[in-house]
Amino acid sequence: MPSRQNLLKDDALDRTSREIRGNMYMYFYNPKHKETLPYYDRFPLTIMIDPAPGGFYGLNLHYLNYNVRARFLDDLMALAPNNIKDNTRLTKLRYNLLQGVRKYKEFKPCFKHYLGNHVASRFSRVPMTDWEIAIFLPIEQFKKKSKTAIWQESLKIARS
């Protein structure tokens, strides 16, 4: 498994202190209510959706198993421009769109509200050309439950 610290410093990623809607980021996160959460991911792989009170809304793809994650990303990529470059992003991605389209049902377990002052590192932007690689990296860092238990629960949430 790759080192999360080293991954954040990888030259293929752009380190930044501000997040932009439609981009994918990796970062360390320390949840405000971790004591009461049933589980959480300390190293989210998030596609930013919208600003939110005190932070942002994002899709943390780690909440889906690898196969479901790949299919979901394929569906989302239909919203991307045809000629994808390093700096391309999903500018059309919005909560209302995801909620209203049946094929995006996997967004439900992934949709999270992150607080900016609980982000514990700089953001590292994953260029869109590397998204299909990033989703298969075993870098999730779940606490309190195993990833397989979380993935099973996420499937139930997506189907409900």
Side-chain angles (χ1 to χ4, degrees):
M1 175 171 13
S3 156
R4 292 172 188 91
Q5 291 286 359
N6 289 342
L7 192 57
L8 285 182
K9 297 173 187 168
D10 192 293
D11 290 340
L13 305 177
D14 299 325
R15 283 170 295 290
T16 180
S17 56
R18 83 184 181 101
E19 68 284 350
I20 298 173
R21 175 188 290 141
N23 280 330
M24 180 186 285
Y25 297 92
M26 296 177 192
Y27 51 95
F28 283 99
Y29 190 74
N30 189 17
K32 179 177 182 179
H33 299 290
K34 63 184 172 190
E35 295 82 19
T36 56
L37 288 170
Y39 50 84
Y40 57 92
D41 184 8
R42 286 266 303 125
F43 194 72
L45 178 66
T46 306
I47 299 174
M48 300 294 176
I49 303 295
D50 282 316
F56 56 91
Y57 294 119
L59 295 174
N60 181 352
L61 299 177
H62 286 162
Y63 283 87
L64 302 174
N65 73 44
Y66 298 112
N67 292 332
V68 174
R69 197 182 295 178
R71 283 195 311 271
F72 182 49
L73 184 61
D74 284 346
D75 288 341
L76 292 178
M77 294 303 280
L79 301 171
N82 290 334
N83 55 344
I84 294 173
K85 301 180 199 77
D86 273 1
N87 60 355
T88 305
R89 57 194 178 103
L90 295 178
T91 55
K92 297 178 187 174
L93 204 56
R94 302 284 188 282
Y95 176 78
N96 292 343
L97 172 71
L98 292 169
Q99 186 181 36
V101 180
R102 188 163 179 75
K103 75 175 178 179
Y104 300 128
K105 65 185 181 298
E106 290 86 0
F107 97 92
K108 288 192 274 187
C110 300
F111 187 78
K112 305 293 179 189
H113 179 182
Y114 291 100
L115 298 173
N117 60 355
H118 286 265
V119 173
S121 69
R122 302 226 14 194
F123 290 97
S124 287
R125 186 184 72 84
V126 180
M128 190 177 267
T129 52
D130 293 335
W131 286 17
E132 291 188 10
I133 296 166
I135 63 167
F136 289 109
L137 294 175
I139 55 173
E140 55 277 324
Q141 192 176 14
F142 288 116
K143 299 295 183 186
K144 299 188 179 184
K145 277 192 181 178
S146 72
K147 66 183 174 184
T148 51
I150 293 168
W151 291 344
Q152 287 173 344
E153 191 169 317
S154 291
L155 279 178
K156 289 179 193 169
I157 292 168
R159 291 179 182 145
S160 66

